[in-house]
Amino acid sequence: MTILNPQDAENPRNKIRLTKEQKENERAEARLYTIIKVSRDEDFCQQIGRDIYFDLVDHDKVCSFRMQKRMSFKLLEEGVAKELGVPVQFQRFWLWAKRQNQSYRLNRPLTLHEESRSVGKLREELKTAENADLNLFLEVNRGEGLHPIPPPDRTPQEILLFFKLYDAQKEKLLYVGRLFVKDRCKPTEILKKLNEMAEFSPNEEIELYEEIKFEPTVMCEHIDKEFTFRHSQLEDGDIICFQKPPCADSMTRCRYPDVPSFLEYVLNRRVVHFQSLEKPKEDDFFLELSKVLTYDNVTERVAQHLGLDDPTKIRLTPHNCYSQQPKAQAIKYQGFDHLSEVLIHHNQISNILYYEVLDIPLPVLQGLKTLNVSFHDAKKDTVIHRIRLPNKSTVGDVINDLKTKVELSHPNAELRLLKVFNHMIHKVFPLSEKIENIKDQYFTLRAEEILEEEKNLGPRDCLVHVYHFTKDASQTQKVKNFGKPFLLTIHEGETLAEVKLRIRKKLNVPDEEFAEWKFAILSLGQSDYLRDLEIVSNRFLGRDIFGASDQYLGLEHSDSSR
């Protein structure tokens, strides 16, 4: 090992070298050791039905021993005796093996020759991957008072099987034990023993299933009790799940009436967090759902949780994994075949869905277009009205519907619909425009009365966009709009002084405050300030007010709302 004085150690290059040497030393030391993980029946009991459901054990959660490779296997047996309280003469160790279907099962007991080797040689002979742990199963048999007894003699015709019990009513899967059986025997010969393990009555009828694999899909096949274990191709380490036969009426009362359906559910289940679309940052509730549930299945579960009678009034919206916000588009009615389809966003898996409770069924709502329209009534109060009309309706239909909901200045008042965004009027909608094309989630829809003076404009009169603005003190050319924009009639020959009087009256601004305001023509961010005697209409001849205006009358003053 390199020895450095304190000053040299502070050198960045020396630090990197020391770190590299330390890692190399750790790797060299690690090569002298191996980890042996020893699982027991107690581990199966603790884990199955809680931490795991498939196979028998999570080897990362069992007792482990770190041993130098040169140590004898006998020292492991002594360590197990001391740590687990099982004398050496009562121990029998089994090897695990990964099968072609990717399941992990017990394979065979260690031989006397293998037990005479060092743990390092044993791992090499078993062709365990470099630096991989050595997994073993400790078979411990118990006599009266649960005292350990010597392992029973085993003939070549005997196989070791493991058993799990499924309770369909409680949706519980438990490990209940293991048995040696003769391969030429039939399951009927061990039914009483299985009923005893399950604490059933001796003659209880039970159904047996072999747990074969679960990746990529569950394979769990029914076992014919009249065929021998050999005929059913059962061998050492295989797992049999059993249960009481599902009753005819339990098929409707139980969500998962048999072992295969339950294991299918376990493989596909996900905990999905539901958040209200109105409060998208708050976790409202969560449900444990299967990834293969249909749209109707999911909305039924959500409605049931919320206490709603009609699941079609639930609308769901997927989660955007990048913005951590709801996606812009909600899920259409029956918009997915399986839940998993809407829990994936650009190959990222999400566990969040947003929900909202509608006042009408979603299938009906999808045939309608809902617009939120802001309106200033005769009392100058601003009210948001929800307008809901068939998709093929026009802006004219929206205005007619709005007239039945608002207070007008007079019965024959006409209305127009504006698109307002960033304190600017971007569009005056024609009455013939179809509402299905209006995306009002990105801007404000504003309805207002058309003033009488606007209906009969002279040939040289004009209707102009008027916006409030300020200028950034650090960037004199940078304009910032604020407040409520509006349209204003400019008459032929009208001076700025005359226009100012009408604006002050329209906005009801005190004289002292209004005296500080400046007026300018703004075009493409450039401001051209007006004088009181200037004819304003000359600046706007031929302008189209129905689209976004690149030239407008600007009112420069401080933003009192800030």
Side-chain angles (χ1 to χ4, degrees):
M1 178 182 292
T2 304
I3 300 177
L4 302 174
N5 63 47
Q7 290 181 341
D8 292 339
E10 291 300 319
N11 188 300
R13 291 185 178 180
N14 290 334
K15 282 185 177 181
I16 294 173
R17 189 171 69 204
L18 284 173
T19 301
K20 185 177 179 180
E21 287 182 2
Q22 183 179 355
K23 289 181 178 179
E24 288 177 352
N25 292 335
E26 289 173 355
R27 281 195 292 268
E29 185 180 2
R31 285 193 285 269
L32 301 175
Y33 290 84
T34 190
I35 302 295
I36 302 175
K37 296 180 178 179
V38 179
S39 55
R40 300 175 294 155
D41 287 297
E42 290 87 342
D43 298 307
F44 303 164
C45 288
Q46 290 174 7
Q47 294 186 23
I48 293 172
R50 295 179 179 85
D51 300 332
I52 65 169
Y53 291 83
F54 303 102
D55 287 347
L56 289 171
V57 73
D58 179 349
H59 294 276
D60 291 333
K61 297 180 179 179
V62 302
C63 189
S64 63
F65 299 84
R66 184 173 183 265
M67 300 185 66
Q68 290 186 359
K69 292 180 179 179
R70 60 182 176 78
M71 291 183 174
S72 69
F73 190 82
K74 295 296 182 184
L75 288 177
L76 171 67
E77 294 175 325
E78 293 172 7
V80 168
K82 182 178 179 181
E83 183 72 23
L84 302 179
V86 181
V88 172
Q89 66 270 27
F90 301 141
Q91 301 173 10
R92 179 155 64 190
F93 289 92
W94 289 67
L95 294 170
W96 295 84
K98 184 171 247 185
R99 296 181 177 176
Q100 288 185 343
N101 64 10
Q102 303 306 304
S103 62
Y104 203 56
R105 300 284 191 267
L106 283 183
N107 187 25
R108 62 174 178 82
L110 285 176
T111 64
L112 291 175
H113 170 73
E114 288 169 335
E115 291 180 349
S116 68
R117 311 291 282 170
S118 68
V119 293
K121 288 292 184 183
L122 176 61
R123 196 186 70 174
E124 289 176 10
E125 290 177 2
L126 296 174
K127 298 181 180 180
T128 303
E130 181 66 21
N131 294 328
D133 301 331
L134 179 59
N135 295 327
L136 299 174
F137 168 68
L138 174 61
E139 177 194 345
V140 181
N141 296 281
R142 306 283 179 178
E144 292 185 6
L146 298 180
H147 296 294
I149 58 175
D153 293 332
R154 177 174 175 264
T155 66
Q157 291 74 38
E158 288 184 310
I159 56 177
L160 178 60
L161 299 177
F162 294 84
F163 296 90
K164 299 177 184 179
L165 171 66
Y166 175 57
D167 186 331
Q169 295 289 337
K170 297 179 180 178
E171 297 180 8
K172 293 285 188 181
L173 189 69
L174 303 172
Y175 174 73
V176 290
R178 53 184 164 78
L179 290 175
F180 283 105
V181 300
K182 297 188 184 307
D183 59 3
R184 296 187 181 274
C185 290
K186 299 178 181 179
T188 51
E189 300 177 45
I190 64 168
L191 294 183
K192 286 189 177 180
K193 182 61 179 175
L194 294 183
N195 280 326
E196 179 185 338
M197 292 163 67
E199 299 183 353
F200 293 162
S201 60
N203 297 318
E204 182 73 55
E205 185 181 352
I206 53 177
E207 297 291 331
L208 277 59
Y209 301 85
E210 182 190 1
E211 179 190 318
I212 300 173
K213 68 183 183 72
F214 64 94
E215 291 181 342
T217 57
V218 169
M219 190 173 179
C220 185
E221 295 183 350
H222 186 268
I223 296 174
D224 191 321
K225 289 176 282 192
E226 295 301 325
F227 290 160
T228 65
F229 291 109
R230 173 181 286 187
H231 186 276
S232 298
Q233 298 183 335
L234 291 165
E235 58 186 11
D236 277 329
D238 279 338
I239 301 170
I240 293 178
C241 302
F242 67 98
Q243 67 172 99
K244 293 181 181 180
C247 302
D249 62 339
S250 73
M251 299 296 286
T252 56
R253 288 188 289 108
C254 297
R255 294 195 303 166
Y256 311 104
D258 55 30
V259 173
S261 63
F262 176 72
L263 291 181
E264 187 77 34
Y265 162 70
V266 169
L267 179 67
N268 290 307
R269 68 182 173 181
R270 292 283 299 276
V271 174
V272 181
H273 294 259
F274 288 87
Q275 297 169 201
S276 170
L277 197 63
E278 295 179 353
K279 299 177 180 178
K281 293 294 185 182
E282 298 181 15
D283 200 358
D284 200 340
F285 63 93
F286 65 87
L287 296 175
E288 189 175 87
L289 304 171
S290 170
K291 293 188 293 185
V292 298
L293 287 183
T294 65
Y295 174 92
D296 289 338
N297 296 149
V298 174
T299 53
E300 285 169 7
R301 290 289 304 277
V302 174
Q304 182 181 17
H305 179 87
L306 296 174
L308 295 176
D309 295 330
D310 188 355
T312 65
K313 290 186 178 180
I314 297 293
R315 180 162 61 181
L316 302 174
T317 300
H319 179 66
N320 185 318
C321 294
Y322 295 111
S323 68
Q324 297 299 310
Q325 294 286 338
K327 288 187 179 180
Q329 296 297 324
I331 299 169
K332 292 183 177 180
Y333 177 67
Q334 296 183 334
F336 58 82
D337 294 323
H338 298 114
L339 174 62
S340 57
E341 298 168 24
V342 292
L343 295 180
I344 296 178
H345 180 237
H346 294 299
N347 295 324
Q348 291 195 43
I349 297 176
S350 167
N351 65 345
I352 296 174
L353 281 177
Y354 302 90
Y355 76 93
E356 53 188 318
V357 179
L358 307 172
D359 56 342
I360 60 174
L362 181 55
V364 176
L365 181 63
Q366 285 182 178
L368 303 174
K369 177 72 174 181
T370 301
L371 298 175
N372 295 309
V373 181
S374 172
F375 182 76
H376 301 266
D377 61 21
K379 298 177 181 177
K380 304 300 182 184
D381 293 327
T382 301
V383 181
I384 305 296
H385 295 274
R386 176 180 288 184
I387 307 297
R388 185 177 283 161
L389 294 170
N391 287 329
K392 299 301 180 183
S393 301
T394 65
V395 169
D397 296 322
V398 172
I399 288 175
N400 289 335
D401 185 84
L402 186 62
K403 284 181 178 180
T404 66
K405 297 179 168 69
V406 301
E407 181 182 350
L408 301 173
S409 61
H410 60 91
N412 297 322
E414 295 181 24
L415 303 179
R416 63 178 162 228
L417 189 66
L418 311 175
K419 171 183 175 180
V420 178
F421 177 71
N422 199 23
H423 310 286
M424 301 174 73
I425 297 170
H426 283 253
K427 185 174 184 177
V428 179
F429 290 96
L431 297 179
S432 60
E433 181 158 345
K434 292 285 194 299
I435 64 172
E436 62 185 340
N437 300 321
I438 299 177
K439 312 295 184 184
D440 67 324
Q441 65 265 42
Y442 303 113
F443 53 81
T444 299
L445 284 178
R446 190 175 87 194
E448 63 186 21
E449 288 191 19
I450 300 175
L451 301 179
E452 290 300 320
E453 66 175 352
E454 298 174 11
K455 299 177 184 178
N456 301 296
L457 295 178
R460 296 182 65 84
D461 293 342
C462 54
L463 193 62
V464 302
H465 294 233
V466 184
Y467 305 154
H468 304 267
F469 77 96
T470 61
K471 285 190 174 180
D472 192 321
S474 61
Q475 303 178 51
T476 57
Q477 296 302 313
K478 188 173 182 180
V479 171
K480 181 179 181 182
N481 296 108
F482 67 93
K484 297 178 180 178
F486 59 93
L487 298 175
L488 181 71
T489 301
I490 303 294
H491 298 292
E492 179 183 0
E494 196 171 21
T495 65
L496 176 62
E498 293 170 319
V499 172
K500 287 166 62 175
L501 288 175
R502 291 197 293 115
I503 290 177
R504 191 194 67 76
K505 183 177 180 182
K506 178 181 177 67
L507 302 180
N508 195 26
V509 182
D511 290 340
E512 184 176 344
E513 179 184 340
F514 193 73
E516 301 295 325
W517 288 25
K518 297 178 182 179
F519 295 77
I521 302 297
L522 281 91
S523 179
L524 302 177
Q526 299 297 315
S527 52
D528 184 5
Y529 289 90
L530 298 172
R531 300 182 300 275
D532 281 352
L533 297 179
E534 191 163 350
I535 304 300
V536 181
S537 60
N538 292 342
R539 298 292 194 103
F540 291 99
L541 291 178
R543 294 290 172 182
D544 175 16
I545 63 109
F546 287 93
S549 178
D550 59 355
Q551 182 171 306
Y552 60 89
L553 177 61
L555 314 180
E556 183 181 6
H557 60 96
S558 60
D559 183 359
S560 59
S561 65
R562 296 175 62 181

